[in-house]
Amino acid sequence: MKLNKFFFGLLMTPAVMMVGCSDYEDTEVASPEADADAIGAYFESSSVSEQLSPGQTSFNVVLNRASFSEAVNVPVKITANDDNFFSLSANQFVFDAEKQVSSPITVTFNQSTVELQKTYSLGLQVADGVKDHLYGAGYTDAVYSMVIDYTWKSDSLASTMVKDEYAGTFDKEGALAAVEIAKDFEVDEEKPSPDYTKNSLVRISSFFATIGKSKAAGKDHIQFVVDKDHKNPQFLTTDYLANNEISLKVNTTKLATGMTQKFAEKKEYPICMDLVDIDAIASTAEAKTDNVTYQVTYELYAFDEKADKKYLLSTEDDTVPVEGNTQYKAKFEVKFVKASAE
């Protein structure tokens, strides 16, 4: 008897299921459409990095749009521009009919204040920051970060042991550091490698982080120019670039090292470096030397930016700040290889 009830239940189940399915009604929902006058203007990225070579004086920005059948202009406004550093060639993006990408707007900047390796930011916005198109991609706001710098290459020069007075290794083994060369600095394209006859730009970047004295990378790049014989070094300076008709400032003082100094008043100041001098120590009597030892002289101090004062460094945390700075030396060998400017 129990077995019969079991089979009866199985026979009833499909009927019950069929009754439940009869309540389903197939409906079609239309996708929403964008307004007829919606443009859908957008920047492809909300953050753009522009690296310019020294001597370049502008870069271009463009806008995209979702609807591109008709010609149209889209106003743009600047949302961030410290000290009015940047200028735009137009206040609106121009779209030709059937073109998804606008004509470019040229961005120029203040040539009298621009500094090598310093980052500057420009904020732009369209459509008051609100998308007007349901299927518009990208962003209505974008920040363009610009830096002017050379293209540095580290595998064209060998690593070197840096011996430094501040690090206590001037007469010891030293610390291993990578030496870089700017491959796009005064390259003579008419005289292919290895017959380069122009100067070379060399550097050890983030000096104190490189030699292990600082955990944070700083702006304390030791960068210098040498002649075709790899001699007569001189720091890369504003005057040097000006002599090459490049309007660009180079900072050689108050370079952030990534280190700090704390005093009794519980204030902690950044330790900064001023570059003083660089000399070549001849290692051979040859007219051209491929292995050259350079000696750098620099000053270190704790810097109070608010008071614009320099304080002597101390190994103690409880000393009273004393105005002044201390001079140190560092030396390292650069092993040049042929065609290193490529």
Side-chain angles (χ1 to χ4, degrees):
M1 188 66 179
K2 291 181 180 180
L3 185 61
N4 291 338
K5 287 183 178 180
F6 174 75
F7 280 108
F8 181 77
L10 289 177
L11 291 172
M12 288 295 293
T13 301
V16 173
M17 292 179 63
M18 290 180 65
V19 171
C21 291
S22 65
D23 293 337
Y24 175 76
E25 182 178 351
D26 190 11
T27 58
E28 181 177 335
V29 179
S31 299
E33 295 183 359
D35 293 338
D37 57 349
I39 300 170
Y42 66 93
F43 297 100
E44 282 194 317
S45 176
S46 62
S47 179
V48 182
S49 297
E50 298 282 352
Q51 179 169 329
L52 276 60
S53 299
Q56 288 185 273
T57 59
S58 65
F59 62 92
N60 291 332
V61 297
V62 296
L63 193 67
N64 291 263
R65 58 175 175 166
S67 177
F68 47 92
S69 60
E70 299 180 355
V72 68
N73 297 341
V74 177
V76 59
K77 64 182 179 181
I78 296 175
T79 56
N81 187 15
D82 290 343
D83 299 322
N84 294 318
F85 178 76
F86 290 102
S87 299
L88 303 182
S89 62
N91 60 4
Q92 56 186 0
F93 288 99
V94 176
F95 288 93
D96 293 332
E98 306 299 330
K99 297 293 183 180
Q100 184 178 7
V101 181
S102 72
S103 298
I105 289 180
T106 301
V107 180
T108 55
F109 42 87
N110 191 337
Q111 294 294 313
S112 64
T113 63
V114 65
E115 184 178 308
L116 180 75
Q117 296 162 346
K118 181 177 179 179
T119 301
Y120 300 88
S121 296
L122 170 68
L124 298 179
Q125 184 184 80
V126 295
D128 291 325
V130 179
K131 290 186 177 181
D132 66 345
H133 198 290
L134 290 171
Y135 309 110
Y139 306 86
T140 56
D141 291 74
V143 175
Y144 288 82
S145 299
M146 183 203 77
V147 64
I148 300 180
D149 198 2
Y150 291 97
T151 302
W152 297 93
K153 188 176 181 181
S154 60
D155 59 0
S156 57
L157 297 177
S159 299
T160 183
M161 295 302 294
V162 175
K163 301 178 180 181
D164 180 69
E165 281 186 333
Y166 179 71
T169 60
F170 194 71
D171 297 318
K172 300 177 183 178
E173 183 179 2
L176 187 66
V179 180
E180 300 175 319
I181 191 167
K183 69 176 185 178
D184 49 353
F185 178 82
E186 294 198 356
V187 175
D188 192 341
E189 296 180 354
E190 295 181 357
K191 296 183 178 181
S193 61
D195 188 22
Y196 284 108
T197 59
K198 292 201 172 187
N199 300 340
S200 297
L201 177 58
V202 184
R203 82 170 179 179
I204 296 179
S205 63
S206 297
F207 182 70
F208 287 102
T210 298
I211 65 173
K213 288 296 292 182
S214 172
K215 295 181 180 179
K219 297 293 185 181
D220 49 333
H221 312 311
I222 295 179
Q223 42 198 5
F224 56 97
V225 181
V226 294
D227 61 22
K228 62 185 179 65
D229 295 323
H230 306 148
K231 299 179 180 179
N232 301 312
Q234 58 178 308
F235 291 129
L236 181 66
T237 63
T238 303
D239 290 340
Y240 183 92
L241 291 179
N243 290 336
N244 288 271
E245 299 182 349
I246 296 177
S247 178
L248 192 63
K249 291 188 175 183
V250 181
N251 186 18
T252 57
T253 63
K254 297 184 180 65
L255 299 173
T257 64
M259 301 181 291
T260 59
Q261 172 73 60
K262 185 182 291 184
F263 294 105
E265 57 192 62
K266 304 302 181 183
K267 288 187 177 180
E268 194 167 357
Y269 299 112
I271 296 177
C272 295
M273 176 175 72
D274 290 355
L275 295 174
V276 176
D277 187 38
I278 182 169
D279 297 299
I281 302 174
S283 57
T284 70
E286 298 177 6
K288 180 169 181 174
T289 304
D290 290 331
N291 297 345
V292 185
T293 298
Y294 299 100
Q295 181 167 289
V296 172
T297 304
Y298 62 89
E299 294 177 346
L300 279 186
Y301 51 89
F303 182 57
D304 183 351
E305 184 176 9
K306 186 175 181 180
D308 194 22
K309 290 183 179 181
K310 300 178 180 180
Y311 298 125
L312 293 175
L313 303 182
S314 173
T315 57
E316 304 291 337
D317 286 344
D318 59 351
T319 56
V320 176
V322 177
E323 289 191 45
N325 52 45
T326 305
Q327 194 169 99
Y328 296 95
K329 295 182 185 297
K331 59 183 177 182
F332 47 87
E333 184 182 62
V334 176
K335 298 179 180 180
F336 291 89
V337 297
K338 290 184 178 181
S340 60
E342 287 187 330

